[in-house]
Amino acid sequence: MNRADRGMRGISPMQTRVDLQMLQDAWRTTPHTILGQALSLMALLWLIRGWPLPAWQWVLPTLGLLGVWGVVIAMTRHFRRFGIPASGYQRWRRSLLGWHLSQGTLWGLFAVALLGVADNDWQLALVAASLVYAYTVMLVSVHDWGVAVAGSTPLLTLAGVRLLVDGQPSSSFLALVMGVSMVTSLAVTRQISRRLREGTLLRNENADLVLQLREEVNNVTREKARAEIADRQKGEFFASASHDLRQPLHVLMLLSSALRPHVPAAEGHGLLDRMQTALGSLSTMFERMFDVARIDAQRIDYRAQACALSALWRRLDSEFAVVCAHQGLQWQLDPTEAWVQADPHVLERILRNLLNNAVRYTERGTVRLRARARGPWIVCQVWDTGTGIAREHRHRIFEDYFQAHNDGRRSSEGLGLGLAVVRRLSLLGPTPVSLRSRPGQGSCFSVRLPRLVPAAVPPQQAETRAARRPSTRAGKPAAPAASPLAPPGVILLIEDDPDVREGTAMLLHQHGWRTAAGSTPDGAIAALVALQAEGRMPEGSMPSAVVSDHRLGLSINGLQAIAQLRYEFGEALPAFLLTGEATPGLAGAARAAQVHLLHKPLQADRLLRLLAEATGAPERPDAA
């Protein structure tokens, strides 16, 4: 009732929406009761046709009810066409209250007229009918207590007063029953109406929360999609940038090595050494940065498989024996025949980064690599006798760009991404990395891997296992026993970048290799034919190896070019694939094709050493 007076002002938007919704529900459902009331009116007029009742006492209420129903039907048709706007809330609610108040009053006048001429039996029936009508109104409009009061109170009040006027005990008792029933039903209706309204408010609040949550989810989904697109674009940018930035750096490293024979030793070799050191540091920085970018862009897949550590140990031994000798460190490798469940490529990168880190921070002493069995695990350990790591730095040592011993940010010490790459790589699979260290005495990094037991040990391996002993090298590694090896031969070189092609050919020429270079496999074959025609290569002899770039700017890539050349010169032709990209799956494809995968920029001495190992040719440190 009060809500009708103040309209929709002074309440919250949620309450406004609920009140408007309840009003619309009332106009949608309550008019359906008119048909039942009309049938009841017809039955009542038929029953009282013989009663001694003045005509005006039933004609006026009947006409009043018909008039009210006509107005309500017209308003209901308007409501169904146009609905109820928020601005019309007050008018429509007052109309609803006026309809029920008028209807209840007219039925009350009917009851007063009939109770005045009815006997005791009919009075009891009329009281029961009045109560049924009042309860029906309350039930239909239970969601709106004001409508329930307006529809039921006039009828029960007028009928109760008429019974009290009679002065008879039975009439007074019926009046008392009607009064108590009215108060009780209105109180119950009040409680139900309040709870229904609270439930409606709660339901609408929940609906708003659901809509807000859905909007937030949609926003998060959109932002996630944008982030994924940006991440993919970042990955594509780094893939392109890695190739484009490695190319000139690769050329600089090749040309600096090729420049050495043309520079007087006294004046220029020291500068060349510094330049190559700077280029090596720059190469390491690029490699770490692109490793981080590839891992963060999820462009490295972890494919666990059974792998023998002995093969990995041989590769690391051949590389770090030379590195430690150059640094004046002792290199110690404990041979192992253990098998583990791991991604061999990821594991090799983890150990290589740990070994590089050990060499960098060890000024004198030993760098050691070993594997130890610990129950169902194999623990690969990298030991060093370097500076060690203070306790306060150990929890940060795997963070990006953190360097405990490089406060001055010297470029020769890198960017502090080596151990950050190790952390990211270890999270790709079940390869946790742990650290033990004593300042001033050294550190030990451990990588734990699931242990595998081979079904059988090959006979050759079983015979030679007992003869294996830890490999310890200090200073320059001992040279292999001399053997009557053939002199360097012809290298097939496939590179679409003219600068890289010319720089690589110049370097190989200075170290005794002849090159048949071209931007395509057909171009390399044509250059080989030209060498034979010039008499610089015996006719009918075969090339010693093929070195190819991966991205050739053609319809084929480097692996396909190598396959084409192997078709011409035999499947046993040693092959090296150079790449400056982070192509997913390339390492596995190269291993399957028995091709050595090398990443740009590449140290010239490493390329020469790998060529010598693959072809059996002697290394020539310098060419005059």
Side-chain angles (χ1 to χ4, degrees), residues 256-293:
S256 65
S257 296
L259 185 62
R260 181 174 295 274
H262 304 284
V263 176
E267 293 83 1
H269 279 196
L271 293 176
L272 278 176
D273 290 340
R274 292 184 180 181
M275 183 172 69
Q276 288 183 335
T277 300
L279 289 174
S281 299
L282 185 59
S283 172
T284 302
M285 292 179 190
F286 275 130
E287 190 66 30
R288 298 291 183 268
M289 291 172 60
F290 291 129
D291 277 346
V292 170

Side-chain angles (χ1 to χ4, degrees), residues 49-373:
R49 67 185 185 278
W51 287 25
L53 184 68
W56 64 271
Q57 290 186 358
W58 63 266
V59 170
L60 291 180
T62 301
L63 294 177
L65 287 172
L66 294 176
V68 170
W69 293 341
V71 174
V72 170
I73 291 172
M75 294 186 68
T76 302
R77 293 182 62 185
H78 184 275
F79 160 74
R80 289 176 178 173
R81 289 187 62 186
F82 303 105
I84 301 176
S87 59
Y89 173 84
Q90 186 174 359
R91 178 171 61 87
W92 281 88
R93 178 162 173 78
R94 285 178 176 174
S95 300
L96 181 65
L97 293 173
W99 160 30
H100 284 281
L101 183 63
S102 302
Q103 185 175 261
T105 302
L106 292 170
W107 278 115
L109 295 176
F110 240 122
V112 169
L114 295 177
L115 288 172
V117 297
D119 56 21
N120 292 336
D121 293 338
W122 275 109
Q123 281 186 348
L124 184 60
L126 290 173
V127 169
S130 299
L131 290 175
V132 169
Y133 173 83
Y135 289 156
T136 302
V137 171
M138 293 180 187
L139 181 63
V140 172
S141 58
V142 68
H143 58 279
D144 193 331
W145 189 70
V147 174
V149 172
S152 60
T153 302
L155 170 59
L156 297 179
T157 300
L158 292 174
V161 170
R162 182 64 186 82
L163 289 172
L164 290 175
V165 170
D166 286 348
Q168 297 182 7
S170 60
S171 299
S172 299
F173 177 75
L174 291 176
L176 178 62
V177 169
M178 293 184 68
V180 172
S181 299
M182 180 180 67
V183 173
T184 303
S185 60
L186 287 178
V188 172
T189 304
R190 173 72 172 176
Q191 295 295 325
I192 297 175
S193 176
R194 188 186 63 180
R195 292 180 181 178
L196 286 176
R197 189 169 186 277
E198 290 174 353
T200 305
L201 280 171
L202 182 60
R203 186 171 64 251
N204 280 268
E205 289 175 356
N206 290 337
D208 280 355
L209 291 176
V210 170
L211 290 176
Q212 293 175 10
L213 180 60
R214 185 179 301 169
E215 183 66 22
E216 291 297 327
V217 170
N218 291 335
N219 291 336
V220 171
T221 303
R222 286 194 295 268
E223 293 301 323
K224 181 183 177 183
R226 292 193 188 102
E228 289 176 348
I229 293 173
D231 199 35
R232 286 195 299 268
Q233 292 175 345
K234 182 185 72 174
E236 294 171 0
F237 165 76
F238 272 107
S240 300
S242 66
H243 181 272
D244 295 340
L245 290 175
R246 290 171 198 261
Q247 284 288 83
L249 184 57
H250 181 63
V251 175
L252 281 174
M253 296 178 72
L254 294 177
L255 292 179
S256 65
S257 296
L259 185 62
R260 181 174 295 274
H262 304 284
V263 176
E267 293 83 1
H269 279 196
L271 293 176
L272 278 176
D273 290 340
R274 292 184 180 181
M275 183 172 69
Q276 288 183 335
T277 300
L279 289 174
S281 299
L282 185 59
S283 172
T284 302
M285 292 179 190
F286 275 130
E287 190 66 30
R288 298 291 183 268
M289 291 172 60
F290 291 129
D291 277 346
V292 170
R294 288 197 298 270
I295 298 170
D296 288 345
Q298 298 181 350
R299 301 189 68 172
I300 295 180
D301 296 328
Y302 188 89
R303 297 190 176 102
Q305 63 187 56
C307 56
L309 292 181
S310 57
L312 175 57
W313 257 227
R314 285 193 296 272
R315 290 195 297 272
L316 295 175
D317 184 33
S318 63
E319 178 178 348
F320 284 94
V322 177
V323 174
C324 288
H326 182 72
Q327 295 290 111
L329 302 174
Q330 185 179 19
W331 165 249
Q332 183 173 341
L333 179 76
D334 295 1
T336 179
E337 301 298 337
W339 285 71
V340 296
Q341 180 81 8
D343 186 316
H345 182 61
V346 171
L347 176 59
E348 181 174 352
R349 293 173 68 180
I350 290 175
L351 293 177
R352 180 171 280 112
N353 279 339
L354 292 176
L355 288 169
N356 279 322
N357 191 74
V359 172
R360 178 177 294 116
Y361 293 107
T362 303
E363 297 181 358
R364 60 182 179 274
T366 304
V367 174
R368 182 184 182 187
L369 174 63
R370 70 174 182 176
R372 307 179 68 180

